[in-house]
Amino acid sequence: MAVDQVLADGLGGILSGDEWTVEREELEAYGHDETEDLSFLPEVVVRPKDPGAVPAILELAHRLKVPVTPRGGGTGLSGGALPVRGGIVLSLDRCDRILEIDTGNMVAVVEPGVITQVLQEEVERVGLYYPPDPASRGSCTIGGNLAENAGGPHAVKYGVTSDYVMGLEVVLANGKVLHCGGARRKDVAGYDLAKLFVGSEGTLGIITRATLRLVPQPEERAVLLASFSSLRSGLDGVLAVFKGLTPSACELLERDAVEAAARHLGRPVPVPGAEALIVMEVDGFTRDDVERQMVTAGERLEAAGAVDVRVAMTRKEREELWALRAATGEAVKAISTYKEEDCSVPRSRIGELVMGVKEIARRAGIRTICYGHAGDGNIHVNILRMDADEATWRDRLPAVIEEIFSLTVKLGGSITGEHGIGWTQRRYLPLQLGPVEMETLKAIKDALDPDAILNPGKIFPG
Ligand SMILES: Cc1cc2nc3c(=O)[nH]c(=O)nc-3n(C[C@H](O)[C@H](O)[C@H](O)COP(=O)(O)OP(=O)(O)OC[C@H]3O[C@@H](n4cnc5c(N)ncnc54)[C@H](O)[C@@H]3O)c2cc1C
């Protein structure tokens, strides 16, 4: 694809030859993420080895009014990294140095391209823990996690990415560099700008460095698998667990999700015919404490109707139980073309959400599979196309999604708990946010990126 000569000359002056490309194959590789089968071609892919090059790249793009779509690991599920208006894909994946692990202040300073799991493993070596753990942690990056405010199974006890952000370096749309926060625990000088960029999906600035809070690594963990003969009792089980106990993870899978995951792994389901499964983890610093929590949880789950409860204490056994949950996403996606929604409600309302989704699906004659971070009230609703033809699928889908989101909002929830609005959900944002909220978002966007070069086409409808 022809790239504007002024842009090419400019990039050539900033980067070495292997840091940017217009090769068709590369453009295609960076034209999609993990969102459905969507693909858009950028004009150029830029992959600097050093974040120090980002200000000059942005200054150039700003001068030429060229769209810039930042990208980390490309694992996003709302199309945030798709270059929907062409221009530059700015991939930060090579800026992947862990600059410091400061055990005294319990912080890590990292570049944005660090793979989440790599950071977790590095801090574990010194007895520390970086809890935000999206299921994609082996391939997503800290930059992408920050931009999406990623969560994961352990958010139920430890919180999401924003709970670990202490400071950021951000390159603004005009190439200027903004520093906010740092290793200090307390700071109320001015607005909390770091938090403004968390969850901004690459539309307000490019994150080039982050200072992240760490906590002590729990020394003991145990995992429990509880099967239920009805979805309703599984949902009741989730609520029962939290009376006086905070598990470190509490995931729910409905029967179709369990069967798909078991098939995917080539294993039998834990309890044939069970309609729901809870995968729960507790952690702590002593074996006694963890065992006590497990006994309490087991009793609560049995009282809520669990027909089978099994516990894993050793690392190997725990990993085996977790494997089922870990395989669910891929397994469900392998069934059919799908659309994944990411509904988040107050925990006490998950029963109404899941049963409501089932009722909407029954009326519309479509198949849904629900699973996810039930302890957070965050359920992934997968709407499966199955054998519907293209026209029926495209015609029927928006109304079904709208109904599911309207229910979510009515229950006090959000249309996305962790995947972001990105490209695919922007038309639904006004279902949740009113005119004042939308105007405020737009005012912030216009103030920081008046020429709308940063990840254009994202978040805002239209
Ligand atoms: C199998 C699977 C499981 C998943 N499980 C979870 C889960 O449990 N929890 C969860 O929250 N998500 C999950 N996700 C979604 C996805 O992994 C997360 O949204 C993740 O945070 C994206 O990180 P990334 O590095 O891949 O970012 P990308 O997909 O590359 O980009 C995501 C967004 O971040 C922006 N961005 C990237 N880097 C920067 C930067 N340096 N500065 C500014 N903006 C930037 C992009 O423009 C885009 O808008 C899952 C995805 C898959 C495929």
Side-chain angles (χ1 to χ4, degrees):
M1 174 176 282
V3 63
D4 181 86
Q5 195 55 48
V6 186
L7 176 61
D9 290 346
L11 290 172
I14 300 165
L15 301 160
S16 59
D18 63 346
E19 291 181 295
W20 64 287
T21 181
V22 293
E23 292 295 327
R24 176 91 193 187
E25 220 173 284
E26 291 281 298
L27 300 185
E28 281 172 3
Y30 286 83
H32 60 84
D33 60 7
E34 290 291 328
T35 314
E36 303 158 37
D37 51 1
L38 300 172
S39 185
F40 296 82
L41 218 54
E43 282 163 71
V44 52
V45 171
V46 173
R47 295 177 65 210
K49 292 177 197 147
D50 191 314
V54 175
I57 297 167
L58 267 280
E59 195 276 324
L60 175 71
H62 182 247
R63 189 157 36 86
L64 302 179
K65 309 280 177 270
V66 176
V68 178
T69 303
R71 180 183 174 101
T75 68
L77 293 172
S78 59
L82 299 175
V84 298
R85 302 271 159 83
I88 298 171
V89 164
L90 174 55
S91 178
L92 283 307
D93 64 321
R94 283 163 148 181
C95 302
D96 62 353
R97 287 174 299 175
I98 296 175
L99 300 170
E100 189 182 2
I101 296 174
D102 174 350
T103 53
N105 288 309
M106 293 171 71
V107 298
V109 182
V110 302
E111 290 181 349
V114 172
I115 298 288
T116 310
Q117 187 171 345
V118 170
L119 175 64
Q120 288 174 325
E121 288 170 357
E122 285 303 311
V123 303
E124 191 176 346
R125 283 182 217 280
V126 291
L128 294 173
Y129 182 34
Y130 177 69
D133 62 338
S136 52
R137 70 196 187 104
S139 47
C140 64
T141 65
I142 294 296
N145 294 172
L146 289 161
E148 297 290 0
N149 194 10
H154 292 95
V156 69
K157 178 169 180 179
Y158 291 98
V160 295
T161 304
S162 65
D163 296 308
Y164 293 85
V165 179
M166 297 176 73
L168 292 181
E169 177 186 272
V170 181
V171 180
L172 300 175
N174 55 15
K176 289 186 180 167
V177 183
L178 175 98
H179 294 99
C180 37
R184 49 195 177 266
R185 298 257 150 183
K186 299 179 79 176
D187 182 349
V188 289
Y191 300 134
D192 190 345
L193 291 178
K195 290 283 163 68
L196 177 64
F197 290 94
V198 177
S200 66
E201 305 192 44
T203 63
L204 298 182
I206 310 289
I207 298 163
T208 45
R209 183 181 288 213
T211 303
L212 303 169
R213 184 168 73 88
L214 306 173
V215 296
Q217 178 73 234
E219 282 159 26
E220 299 287 343
R221 291 177 194 277
V223 176
L224 172 156
L225 218 61
S227 299
F228 293 82
S229 55
S230 73
L231 182 54
R232 181 80 257 177
S233 58
L235 289 159
D236 290 345
V238 171
L239 300 188
V241 162
F242 284 85
K243 291 187 185 124
L245 188 77
T246 305
S248 50
C250 182
E251 304 280 303
L252 178 94
L253 288 76
E254 70 162 296
R255 177 180 178 156
D256 281 356
V258 179
E259 289 178 352
R263 235 183 356 259
H264 195 75
L265 295 173
R267 305 181 175 175
V269 293
V271 174
E275 292 293 333
L277 182 78
I278 290 179
V279 183
M280 208 197 82
E281 186 190 89
V282 296
D283 67 11
F285 290 89
T286 65
R287 184 89 170 178
D288 281 356
D289 174 33
V290 165
E291 282 176 358
R292 186 190 49 76
Q293 293 184 62
M294 265 295 148
V295 170
T296 309
E299 286 169 0
R300 300 254 166 83
L301 290 165
E302 277 168 0
V307 292
D308 182 81
V309 175
R310 46 192 83 171
V311 172
M313 298 299 288
T314 67
R315 184 182 273 255
K316 186 164 174 294
E317 291 167 346
R318 292 199 311 264
E319 283 171 359
E320 254 168 50
L321 296 195
W322 263 124
L324 205 63
R325 168 64 184 95
T328 312
E330 290 302 314
V332 169
K333 281 163 198 144
I335 297 175
S336 152
T337 305
Y338 70 100
K339 178 89 171 64
E340 179 170 350
E341 303 309 342
D342 172 38
C343 306
S344 165
V345 293
R347 183 169 53 229
S348 62
R349 316 295 300 263
I350 50 162
E352 290 162 88
L353 174 67
V354 174
M355 301 318 278
V357 164
K358 292 290 154 192
E359 176 54 23
I360 292 167
R362 191 192 59 74
R363 270 192 275 109
I366 53 150
R367 184 173 173 201
T368 58
I369 299 187
C370 296
Y371 65 88
H373 318 304
D376 279 334
N378 183 195
I379 295 287
H380 299 318
V381 177
N382 285 259
I383 306 169
L384 303 187
R385 174 168 163 183
M386 304 309 288
D387 52 8
D389 60 49
E390 180 68 24
T392 313
W393 171 245
R394 291 281 157 220
D395 286 353
R396 215 185 289 171
L397 192 62
V400 171
I401 295 173
E402 206 166 309
E403 215 181 327
I404 292 172
F405 283 164
S406 298
L407 169 67
T408 305
V409 172
K410 199 172 108 204
L411 295 173
S414 168
I415 65 172
T416 173
E418 54 182 26
H419 294 167
I421 295 293
W423 165 252
T424 53
Q425 311 294 42
R426 66 202 197 291
R427 65 184 283 186
Y428 304 107
L429 189 56
L431 289 176
Q432 182 180 332
L433 303 186
V436 178
E437 290 78 18
M438 291 299 296
E439 277 164 25
T440 307
L441 292 192
K442 191 73 179 46
I444 294 170
K445 171 71 177 168
D446 290 345
L448 287 173
D449 182 18
D451 296 313
I453 62 158
L454 276 178
N455 214 354
K458 307 299 166 59
I459 298 183
F460 297 95

